[in-house]
């Protein structure tokens, strides 16, 4: 069989060679190790011995020509029974073409550089989706990020990290800064209707709820930057004052809202259901108690704390509604931390009442009022925005009677209080009465619960609310 | 007042009376300064001093053989007398002892480490024999520029001849037939190492053969003999005759430095036995015997030397240390801001 | 410096050294070359081939096999007014000359407070990847760049070699000129005609970028450039700085770059511990702590005495371009 001979590397740092002289011509017999060609480089001239015995079949590179090392220069036809396929020509300085096996197993290559940081496990449900800046991320803030955040007044708890494992990078901070201070604050937060007294439905547009605000670490966090005033009437097309036919630039907040919404919708299969709740008695209870409550507690008494109280009891009865989907299993959460969607200017926040099950209705009223006030005036802090397990949205304060909210931060359910509307309703004994009716809508993560549980939960909630005329505050 | 008595002829090798007397003064000056260093150290005024007692004859003789303005001297740290002899100001020695900023090297070097480019004294370090290749290089430069009438005089002790760099330098000078005299001031001791532990031969001049080089040997306690031997070698070198290894035998009477205690490695008897080789006594005797000096003149000379040494001691002591900012200059040419 | 003639010539690194030495010898009769086999053999890489015939044995000196005196005698020549260019045949042989380089040449100006100076160039080929094994492959810069009073340069582009070698020859202080032997024939480039110098102590940004700074020199700067180009094809922008001078080191260029990219990778062929990457890292953290958006990383030779002769051992020591690119990607994504 034919063996191709290539230009050897005769010496360190040599990259080419010249065929000085062929010592054999085609047809000549060659013995193994017999010199058959003379090669010269600018360092050395040497006779090259043949790797095989045989007959020189073909000369590819002629005398005087220079070619790079490794180029084919000749072909030798091997003769002899034991002729084996050989590697290209082997001379003392040539690197062998095939690597000999390791005599001993090679030791593991030691790590170069510092070990990559232990990856933190993102909150189940999404890679950083909805779960902005868990404690692990905020502990790994680099000097550059700290400085840029300080210089630009950026609250790092609100900056979404685009780096490895969700790390906040310097560019993330700079991008947040480019949007203005409030934009960073608004990252991950969305508009919600203000909590107002229920009134006759007014034809205001539906504003759906959206995924929750960033989850914050425990510990002191600088106060949030003040929210921006509404855009001045300067002819600029903004979200607050959009001009038809123009492009309203996306603020950081809207970018993040958009991201969150898409993520939530694309991760969790949303299903929806509703019940009609007769809040006549509750309403009357509230009317009776509100002035005294205002005097004694200093906060207004709305339907919201009653609603949250009932939600909490129903969540206890149906723990799968207070859960999250993970690939490893449905994480049934221990704490019941209820988020309340709050509008603050043109932004949306979802402050969380932690351990909502620890509060009475009165307590919930006070807590909710505190959080709402903080949110409205941009004073909400880290602790207030983290850890929510279920969300309540008072869409009815805008006048809607049906809403299809988007799940928040990987939670299994989100529930709305729609507008309280006086309707003619069939009551006991098939009589017709005028009752104050409030729809309660539920979006659910169909990976966690099916319609049966979801509906049972809702029905349970309805019953509790309807019984609330007797509830001690 | 000297009487020009020729009654006892002696070989003065062309040295004038004045030169002969100059040699004595140089020797006394050397010894007094030397001792002053030890005194100042024992007084606690300076931390360190080297001693060259016993080398005075070599230094006085070699200094006269050296041609100022032409030759280059590459000495080592026991050559204060030689450096003064070729024209260095005696106060430079004291400035070095006191580490004054006004010293030519800014107080950077140990005492007895000199430099004086203007008069041909080459800067050197404390590293034994490291200066020898430099001396060969300097000699190469003279040959390269085809400068006859110039030569390099390189001095070192017996211990230096064991160093690889000595060997390489001497070998190089022989290969290239350089205009250099390799002057070994063999005082028989390298700190505590006696000659017999330093080499298997008895005389260092025997090494010359190994390099195919000329060698000569002389009695280092006789400054006139040293003068003659070194002059012959320098003349040869200056006229393209190549290198010579000159061995001048002497004795180191003091410890290596003020940090050394020679009582730990040699007996007082041995030291005293060699006192008969004291070059100063020997030269005084020679001058006295030949009427070139009187006893009174010797006393007057010693007093004058003492006066001079006291004066330069006081002057040097009164000057300040170098400013700390001087630590940072002359690392490279020009301004250089070292990282701190 | 103004160029004597316009235009450039294509050369590889070894030709650039040779050409520069030749022009220097022609221009200044005080220059001379000394080392082992530099005369009749013309240097083991043929750098000085023909020089002996043209300049004579006084100027092209075949020294005895004695590294300490190759440098030591050159020190003496330099102290007394010549401009010697001493060659150590392979950097691995330099250790006997350590005393003369570090104890003498580096200190001449300092110890004499400027009375004597030492305008000496010590040239030596270093570096691996040529199957040079334990005694023809080492990097020695770390032994010397620690020493104030010395200057160390290691250019690896032909135009840089010419400019820096000229600067070294002109320099009034001792300069070690390190030539990576693998780049001798591997690296080609355009070299401006005529005499010019490049200031010692100036690095050069070989590729501009903004997502990561990679600092290197020698053979690896070429690989770093290759890796950066691979990343650029994926839209990742890496800035590659060729240090060129190790001491004095160009702090300004490094800091400017790190302030822009906020991430720093140092790639050195030398052993990791105490290599130049350590000095650069410390300096950058001292000066630009609040600009760093990632830990500084170093890719370096492993801490073993030398690379072995067997191909597998050498390859284990040397860093392939792919590993540089992977590290760059990791750092950009961090």
């Amino acid at each position: 069989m034919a063996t191709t001979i290539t230009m050897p590397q005769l010496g360190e740092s040599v990259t080419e060679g010249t065929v000085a002289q062929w010592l054999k011509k085609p047809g000549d017999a060659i013995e193994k190790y017999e010199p058959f060609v003379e090669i010269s480089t600018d360092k050395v001239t040497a006779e090259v011995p043949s790797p095989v015995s045989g007959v020189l079949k073909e000369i590819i590179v002629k005398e005087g020509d220079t070619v790079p090392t490794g180029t084919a220069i000749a072909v030798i036809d091997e003769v002899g029974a034991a002729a084996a396929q050989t590697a290209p020509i082997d001379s003392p300085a040539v690197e062998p073409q095939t690597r000999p096996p390791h005599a001993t197993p090679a030791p593991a290559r030691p790590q170069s550089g510092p070990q990559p940081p232990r990856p933190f496990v993102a909150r189940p449900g999404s890679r950083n989706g909805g779960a902005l800046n868990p404690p692990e991320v905020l502990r790994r803030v680099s000097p550059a990020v700290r400085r840029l955040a300080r210089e630009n007044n950026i609250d790092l708890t609100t900056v979404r990290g685009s780096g490895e494992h969700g790390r906040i990078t310097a560019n993330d901070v700079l991008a947040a800064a480019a949007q203005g201070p409030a934009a960073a604050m608004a990252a991950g937060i969305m508009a919600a209707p203000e909590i107002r007294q229920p009134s006759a439905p007014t034809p205001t547009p539906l504003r759906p709820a959206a995924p929750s605000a960033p989850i914050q670490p425990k510990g002191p966090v600088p106060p949030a930057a003040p929210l921006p005033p509404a855009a001045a009437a300067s002819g600029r097309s903004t979200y607050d004052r959009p001009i038809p036919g123009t492009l309203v630039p996306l603020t950081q907040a809207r970018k993040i809202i958009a991201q969150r919404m898409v993520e939530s919708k694309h991760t969790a299969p949303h299903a929806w259901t509703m019940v009609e709740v007769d809040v006549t008695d509750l309403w009357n209870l509230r009317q009776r108690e509100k002035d005294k409550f205002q005097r004694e507690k200093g906060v207004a008494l709305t339907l919201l704390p009653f609603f949250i109280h009932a939600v909490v009891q129903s969540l206890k009865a149906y723990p799968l509604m207070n859960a999250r989907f993970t690939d490893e299993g449905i994480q049934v959460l221990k704490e019941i931390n209820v988020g309340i969607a709050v509008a603050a200017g043109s932004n949306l926040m979802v402050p969380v009442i932690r351990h909502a099950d620890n509060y009475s209705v009165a307590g919930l009223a006070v807590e909710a009022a505190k959080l709402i006030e903080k949110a409205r005036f941009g004073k909400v802090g880290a602790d207030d925005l983290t850890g929510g397990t279920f969300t309540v949205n008072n869409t009815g304060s805008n006048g809607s009677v049906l809403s299809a909210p988007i799940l928040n931060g990987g939670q299994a359910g989100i529930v709305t209080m729609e507008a309280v509307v006086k309707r003619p309703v069939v009551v006991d004994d098939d009589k017709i009465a005028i009752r104050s009716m409030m729809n309660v809508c539920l979006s659910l993560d169909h990976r966690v619960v099916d319609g049966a549980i979801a509906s049972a939960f809702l029905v349970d909630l309805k019953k509790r609310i309807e019984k609330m005329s007797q509830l001690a505050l | 007042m000297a009487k020009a008595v020729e009654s006892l002829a002696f070989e003065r090798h062309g040295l004038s009376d004045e030169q002969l007397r100059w040699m004595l003064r140089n020797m006394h000056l050397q010894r007094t300064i030397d001792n002053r260093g030890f005194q100042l150290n024992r007084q606690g005024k300076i931390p360190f001093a080297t001693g060259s007692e016993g080398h005075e004859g070599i230094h006085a003789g070699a200094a006269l053989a050296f041609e100022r303005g032409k030759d280059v001297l590459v000495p080592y740290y026991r050559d204060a007398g030689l450096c003064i002899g070729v024209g260095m100001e005696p106060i430079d020695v004291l400035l070095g002892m006191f580490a004054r900023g006004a010293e030519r090297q800014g107080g950077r070097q140990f005492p007895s480490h000199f430099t004086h480019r203007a008069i041909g004294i080459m800067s050197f370090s404390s590293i034994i024999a490291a200066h020898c290749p430099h001396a060969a290089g300097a000699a190469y430069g003279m040959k390269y520029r085809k400068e006859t009438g110039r030569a390099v005089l390189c001095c070192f002790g017996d211990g230096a001849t064991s160093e690889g760099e000595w060997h390489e330098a001497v070998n190089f000078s022989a290969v290239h037939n350089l205009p250099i005299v390799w002057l070994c001031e063999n005082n028989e001791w390298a700190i505590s190492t006696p000659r017999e532990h330093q080499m298997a031969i008895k005389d260092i001049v025997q090494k010359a053969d190994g390099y195919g080089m000329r060698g000569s040997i002389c009695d280092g306690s006789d400054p006139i003999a040293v003068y003659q031997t070194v002059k012959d070698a320098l003349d040869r070198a200056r006229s393209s005759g190549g290198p010579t290894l000159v061995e001048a035998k002497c004795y180191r009477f003091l410890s290596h430095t003020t940090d050394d205690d020679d009582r730990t490695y040699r007996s007082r008897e041995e030291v005293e036995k060699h006192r008969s080789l004291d070059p100063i006594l020997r030269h005084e005797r020679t001058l006295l015997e030949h009427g070139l000096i009187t006893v009174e003149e010797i006393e007057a000379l010693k007093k004058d030397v003492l006066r001079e040494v006291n004066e330069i001691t006081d002057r040097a002591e009164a000057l300040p240390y170098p400013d700390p900012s001087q630590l940072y200059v002359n690392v490279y040419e020009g301004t250089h801001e070292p990282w701190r | 410096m103004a160029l004597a003639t316009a235009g450039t010539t294509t050369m590889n690194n070894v030709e650039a050294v040779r050409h520069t030495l030749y022009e220097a010898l022609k221009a200044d009769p005080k220059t001379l070359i000394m080392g082992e086999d530099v005369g009749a053999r013309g240097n083991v890489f043929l750098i000085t081939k023909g020089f002996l015939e043209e300049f004579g044995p006084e100027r092209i000196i075949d020294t005895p096999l004695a590294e300490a005196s190759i440098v030591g005698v050159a020190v003496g020549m330099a102290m007394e007014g010549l401009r010697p260019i001493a060659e150590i045949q392979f950097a691995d042989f330099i250790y006997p000359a350590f005393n003369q380089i570090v104890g003498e040449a580096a200190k001449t100006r300092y110890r004499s407070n400027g009375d004597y100076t030492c305008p000496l160039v010590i040239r030596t080929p270093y570096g691996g990847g040529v199957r040079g094994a334990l005694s023809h492959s080492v990097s020695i810069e770390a032994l010397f760049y620690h020493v104030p009073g010395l200057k160390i340069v290691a250019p690896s582009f032909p135009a840089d070699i010419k400019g820096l070698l000229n600067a070294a020859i002109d320099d009034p202080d001792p300069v070690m000129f390190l030539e990576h032997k693998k780049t001798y024939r591997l690296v080609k480039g355009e070299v401006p005609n005529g005499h010019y110098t490049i200031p010692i102590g100036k690095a050069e940004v070989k590729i501009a970028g903004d997502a990561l700074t990679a600092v290197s020199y020698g053979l690896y700067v070429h690989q770093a450039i290759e890796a950066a180009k691979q990343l650029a094809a994926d839209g990742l922008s890496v800035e590659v700085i060729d240090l060129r001078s190790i001491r004095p080191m160009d702090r300004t260029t490094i800091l400017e770059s790190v302030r822009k990219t906020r991430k720093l990778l140092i790639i050195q062929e030398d052993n990791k511990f105490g290599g130049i990457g350590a000095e650069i890292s410390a300096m950058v953290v001292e000066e630009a702590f609040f600009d760093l958006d990632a830990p500084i990383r170093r890719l370096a030779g492993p801490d073993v005495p030398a690379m072995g002769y067997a191909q597998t051992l050498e390859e284990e020591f040397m860093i392939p371009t792919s590993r540089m690119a992977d590290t760059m990607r990791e750092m950009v994504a961090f």
Side-chain angles (χ1 to χ4, degrees):
Chain A
M1 79 186 96
T3 299
T4 304
I5 312 297
T6 59
M7 175 62 70
Q9 183 186 7
L10 296 182
E12 302 170 353
S13 78
V14 169
T15 56
E16 57 188 23
T18 306
V19 175
Q21 189 188 2
W22 283 108
L23 305 172
K24 299 275 184 183
K25 53 186 193 304
D28 284 351
I30 304 178
E31 293 282 317
K32 191 171 174 182
Y33 301 121
E34 185 186 358
F36 74 109
V37 65
E38 197 177 84
I39 302 292
S40 76
T41 69
D42 49 4
K43 294 197 71 174
V44 82
T45 297
E47 289 176 341
V48 176
S50 174
V52 296
S53 294
V55 171
L56 180 59
K57 181 175 171 195
E58 182 195 357
I59 285 178
I60 301 172
V61 175
K62 54 188 205 300
E63 286 178 4
D65 282 356
T66 304
V67 296
T69 57
T71 308
I73 58 172
V75 179
I76 295 179
D77 248 343
E78 287 176 61
V79 299
Q85 183 74 357
T86 56
I89 191 158
D90 189 19
S91 80
V94 168
E95 297 163 24
Q97 296 297 315
T98 55
R99 181 180 298 221
H102 292 226
T104 54
R109 176 190 291 282
Q111 279 279 15
S112 72
Q115 303 293 329
R118 271 178 304 116
F120 80 82
V121 177
R123 294 298 167 102
S126 53
R127 176 205 176 278
N128 225 28
L132 246 192
N133 300 343
E136 308 91 277
V137 170
L138 286 159
R139 270 197 288 276
R140 289 184 57 238
V141 158
S142 73
V145 166
R146 272 190 221 284
R147 173 177 64 84
L148 291 167
R150 197 171 54 236
E151 286 173 358
N152 291 286
N153 247 318
I154 304 294
D155 176 1
L156 285 175
T157 62
T158 65
V159 177
R160 183 189 171 87
S162 67
E164 197 179 84
H165 303 302
R167 191 185 77 90
I168 302 170
T169 70
N171 287 336
D172 293 336
V173 178
L174 289 172
Q179 302 297 338
M185 170 67 198
I189 47 192
M190 45 258 127
E194 295 178 17
I195 309 289
R196 293 200 300 262
Q197 294 200 24
S199 57
T202 49
T204 49
L206 253 175
R207 289 169 82 180
S212 75
I215 293 173
Q216 305 296 337
K218 304 187 194 353
V221 168
L227 299 167
S234 61
R236 225 168 27 126
S237 186
T238 63
Y239 195 78
D240 295 320
R241 286 175 182 17
I243 298 171
T246 66
L247 200 63
V248 170
L250 289 173
T251 61
Q252 188 70 358
R254 295 255 35 109
K255 267 193 210 163
I256 288 175
I257 291 167
Q259 247 173 324
R260 296 280 155 70
M261 299 290 189
V262 168
E263 220 170 328
S264 180
K265 268 286 178 169
H266 285 191
T267 309
H270 284 52
W272 182 90
T273 183
M274 66 158 280
V275 288
E276 296 175 309
V277 181
D278 185 341
V279 296
T280 313
D281 294 341
L282 177 59
W283 182 266
N284 292 336
L285 167 61
R286 186 234 166 207
Q287 289 299 106
R288 283 197 305 275
E289 300 292 334
K290 68 177 182 159
D291 293 332
K292 180 165 171 238
F293 193 86
Q294 174 82 54
R295 268 196 321 273
E296 283 175 5
K297 308 280 185 197
V299 298
L301 184 65
T302 66
L303 291 192
L304 180 66
F306 295 96
F307 188 77
I308 294 174
H309 196 273
V311 163
V312 166
Q313 305 314 309
S314 296
L315 287 175
K316 281 189 173 156
Y318 293 91
L320 280 175
M321 293 304 305
N322 192 53
R324 285 176 187 279
F325 183 82
T326 77
D327 288 326
E328 286 79 38
I330 290 166
Q331 195 162 12
V332 182
L333 301 167
K334 194 156 181 235
E335 293 179 0
I336 300 178
N337 305 325
V338 176
I340 316 165
V342 176
S346 60
N347 290 327
L348 170 73
M349 256 169 275
V350 187
V352 172
I353 300 176
R354 300 192 83 116
H355 308 290
D357 47 329
N358 287 348
Y359 295 97
S360 62
V361 171
L364 287 170
V366 170
E367 281 303 306
K370 260 198 299 200
L371 287 170
I372 291 163
E373 164 118 5
K374 273 168 126 178
R376 288 250 197 81
F377 294 103
K379 292 201 167 50
V380 74
D383 281 348
D384 303 320
L385 294 170
T386 45
T389 63
F390 193 85
T391 300
V392 165
N393 196 349
N394 185 3
T395 47
S397 61
N398 283 341
S400 64
V401 297
L402 284 180
S403 304
I406 297 181
L407 289 164
N408 178 22
Q411 295 164 13
I414 178 171
V415 84
T416 66
M417 301 164 62
E418 302 297 328
V420 174
V421 178
K422 283 194 171 161
R423 287 191 212 286
V425 166
V426 176
V427 293
D428 314 319
D429 304 333
D430 286 353
K431 297 226 175 30
I432 292 182
I434 303 294
R435 305 290 287 178
S436 293
M437 299 302 287
M438 180 179 85
N439 290 334
V440 171
C441 306
L442 169 73
S443 286
L444 55 121
D445 184 342
H446 216 303
R447 299 172 299 174
V448 178
V449 286
D450 303 330
I453 293 176
S455 297
F457 165 79
L458 261 195
V459 166
D460 184 79
L461 178 61
K462 166 189 162 85
K463 286 190 183 138
R464 291 182 196 276
I465 294 171
E466 288 174 351
K467 281 209 208 75
M468 265 178 175
S469 59
Q470 317 298 330
L471 196 62
L473 296 190
Chain B
M1 164 181 53
K3 278 194 301 179
V5 170
E6 301 288 341
S7 53
L8 272 168
F10 70 103
E11 198 42 74
R12 55 159 82 198
H13 298 292
L15 288 168
S16 70
D17 292 357
E18 199 183 318
Q19 286 174 313
L20 290 167
R21 282 193 286 268
W22 176 91
M23 287 208 283
L24 184 65
R25 191 178 194 285
N26 200 70
M27 292 158 79
H28 272 292
L29 183 58
Q30 174 181 339
R31 182 162 297 183
T32 310
I33 289 179
D34 218 57
N35 286 341
R36 179 54 48 89
F38 274 73
Q39 289 158 359
L40 292 170
N41 172 258
R42 305 309 182 209
Q43 284 176 331
K45 285 192 172 175
I46 65 174
F48 182 77
T50 59
S52 64
E53 215 176 271
H55 287 245
E56 294 86 351
I58 299 175
H59 293 175
L64 279 186
F66 183 89
E67 287 208 22
R68 300 188 186 188
K70 291 211 189 124
D71 292 339
V72 168
L73 177 65
V74 187
Y76 74 121
Y77 54 80
R78 217 181 290 288
D79 279 331
L82 177 53
C83 290
I84 292 172
V86 302
M88 189 179 80
E89 297 265 0
I91 194 174
D92 283 353
V93 186
L94 271 302
L95 290 171
M97 285 181 188
F98 284 110
R100 289 334 195 204
E103 192 262 332
R104 190 164 297 104
Q105 294 155 118
R108 290 165 175 204
Q109 290 257 50
F110 257 169
S112 295
H113 290 58
F114 306 113
T115 187
H116 205 323
R117 188 172 200 164
I119 64 173
I121 300 178
M122 188 181 263
S123 161
F124 57 94
S125 74
S126 309
I127 309 300
I128 305 291
H131 64 307
C132 296
H134 308 166
Y140 190 94
M142 291 177 183
K143 182 175 174 188
Y144 184 84
R145 288 184 294 261
K146 301 183 170 30
E147 296 161 344
T148 50
R150 297 186 74 192
V152 174
L153 175 62
C154 181
C155 306
F156 45 88
D158 38 297
T161 68
S162 294
E163 278 279 1
E165 281 169 40
W166 182 87
H167 151 74
E168 290 186 28
V170 168
N171 182 50
F172 187 89
S173 76
V175 167
H176 288 274
N177 204 50
L178 296 182
I180 186 166
V181 172
W182 299 104
L183 175 56
C184 179
E185 305 178 35
N186 184 0
N187 64 20
E188 305 282 322
W189 288 94
I191 307 186
S192 66
T193 312
R195 189 251 315 144
E196 53 270 20
H197 291 167
Q198 194 71 248
M199 55 198 84
I201 51 178
K202 192 167 159 292
D203 300 314
I204 283 162
V205 72
Q206 291 168 254
K207 296 192 183 190
D209 263 347
Y211 298 99
M213 204 164 71
R214 262 197 200 78
S216 17
I217 188 166
C218 62
D219 180 354
S221 68
D222 179 357
I224 300 171
V226 172
Y227 167 77
Q228 183 231 331
T229 313
V230 173
K231 183 168 189 320
D232 280 350
L234 281 172
D235 282 342
R236 185 178 310 123
R238 292 183 195 118
S239 52
S240 307
T244 309
L245 174 60
V246 174
E247 178 183 3
K249 286 206 188 293
C250 66
Y251 193 82
R252 195 193 81 207
F253 290 119
L254 299 176
S255 298
H256 167 60
T257 65
T258 51
D259 285 347
D260 180 42
D261 182 1
D262 69 329
R263 286 170 302 185
T264 62
Y265 51 85
R266 58 186 186 180
S267 68
R268 300 300 91 206
E269 292 77 40
E270 189 209 298
V271 176
E272 283 320 302
K273 193 173 72 180
H274 285 85
R275 277 289 171 190
S276 60
L277 299 176
D278 187 335
I280 288 184
L281 295 177
R282 183 171 175 158
H283 194 58
E284 280 177 351
R285 223 177 22 250
T286 304
L287 295 184
L288 285 166
E289 278 172 10
H290 294 93
L292 293 165
I293 206 164
T294 66
V295 169
E296 295 79 25
E297 280 165 341
I298 292 177
E299 289 311 308
L301 183 152
K302 282 157 80 168
K303 272 208 184 66
D304 187 60
V305 162
L306 187 60
R307 176 205 55 74
E308 180 178 350
V309 173
N310 286 341
E311 191 236 331
I312 59 180
T313 306
D314 292 341
R315 266 171 54 205
E317 192 173 2
L319 290 170
Y321 282 121
D323 189 87
S325 66
Q326 289 302 298
L327 182 69
Y328 303 104
V329 302
N330 274 321
V331 179
Y332 301 101
E333 189 191 69
T335 24
H336 158 74
E337 196 45 54
W339 297 11
R340 301 178 224 179
Chain C
M1 289 198 56
L3 299 182
T5 53
T8 64
T9 307
T10 310
M11 291 184 198
N12 61 26
N13 280 1
V14 77
E15 286 163 348
V17 176
R18 175 187 167 75
H19 157 78
T20 309
L21 289 174
Y22 181 79
E23 294 298 317
L25 286 165
K26 284 188 68 174
D28 183 359
K30 295 196 303 297
T31 52
L32 55 86
I33 293 175
M34 58 195 287
E36 292 157 16
D37 306 302
V38 297
R41 175 70 166 83
N43 165 284
V44 291
F45 296 98
L46 304 177
I47 288 174
T48 53
K49 189 166 170 60
F51 284 23
L52 176 65
E53 292 78 359
E54 179 151 351
F55 299 108
E58 312 83 32
R59 295 188 75 189
I60 311 298
I61 306 171
D62 275 325
T63 62
L65 213 169
E67 280 75 17
S69 56
I70 290 173
V71 175
V73 170
V75 168
M77 292 176 182
M79 285 168 83
E80 282 290 322
L82 292 180
R83 289 268 168 166
I85 302 164
E87 177 185 300
I88 300 294
Q89 195 166 80
F90 284 90
D92 315 58
F93 307 163
I94 205 164
Y95 310 121
F98 194 82
N99 183 42
Q100 286 294 330
I101 298 171
V102 168
E104 302 295 318
K107 292 193 169 79
T108 301
R109 180 190 291 272
Y110 193 70
R111 72 163 181 248
S112 72
N113 208 21
D115 196 33
Y116 277 90
T117 61
C118 185
L120 166 65
V121 176
I122 301 168
R123 282 184 43 249
T124 188
Y126 80 102
V130 295
R131 306 294 301 286
L134 305 172
S135 295
H136 296 73
S137 302
V138 296
S139 294
I140 52 156
E141 55 271 23
L143 305 173
F144 297 102
Y145 61 55
H146 183 62
V147 179
L150 286 181
K151 298 183 181 178
I152 325 274
V153 299
S156 65
F157 285 82
D160 289 340
I161 283 174
K162 177 170 174 178
L164 280 166
L165 184 51
N166 278 334
I169 293 168
D170 286 352
D171 202 289
D173 289 304
V175 180
M176 294 188 67
F177 192 87
L178 306 180
E179 302 163 8
H180 197 294
K181 63 179 83 70
K182 183 155 186 177
T183 69
Y184 269 160
R185 291 178 169 82
L186 196 64
V187 175
K188 279 194 176 60
E190 292 306 306
V191 178
N193 298 332
H195 184 274
Y196 67 95
T197 58
I198 291 174
I200 294 178
K202 281 289 299 164
E204 188 173 55
V205 175
K206 287 298 203 280
I207 297 202
D210 56 35
L212 167 68
T213 299
V215 176
S216 188
Y217 59 96
L219 172 68
Y220 283 172
V221 76
H222 298 276
Q223 290 179 232
I225 289 170
E226 176 55 40
K229 285 184 177 155
Q230 289 173 16
L231 267 75
D234 294 333
L236 305 172
S237 168
V238 176
E239 180 150 292
V240 178
I241 297 180
D242 182 356
L243 214 49
R244 298 196 301 190
S245 290
I246 303 176
R247 184 162 196 164
M249 189 166 77
D250 189 348
R251 274 207 270 204
T252 307
T253 299
I254 296 172
L255 288 171
E256 243 166 45
S257 179
V258 171
R259 288 190 174 119
K260 177 173 64 167
T261 67
R262 303 201 183 87
K263 296 178 182 175
L264 177 61
L265 170 65
I266 301 134
I267 306 175
Q268 66 192 49
E269 184 176 328
D270 196 8
N271 307 111
K272 185 165 193 175
F273 188 102
I276 198 66
E279 179 61 40
I280 295 174
S281 299
M283 183 274 291
V284 167
V285 170
E286 274 176 342
E287 305 279 338
F289 179 74
F290 290 102
D291 292 295
L292 288 170
D293 197 29
I296 300 174
R297 285 183 64 179
R298 300 172 285 169
L299 281 179
D303 282 318
V304 298
M307 64 190 83
Y309 180 55
Q311 181 173 358
T312 49
L313 298 178
E314 179 173 280
E315 286 176 4
E316 178 65 17
F317 190 104
M318 303 293 283
I319 303 174
T321 306
S322 57
R323 196 162 139 225
M324 296 183 193
D326 288 345
T327 308
M328 289 176 179
R329 283 180 201 279
E330 282 167 23
M331 292 188 73
V332 169
F334 181 79

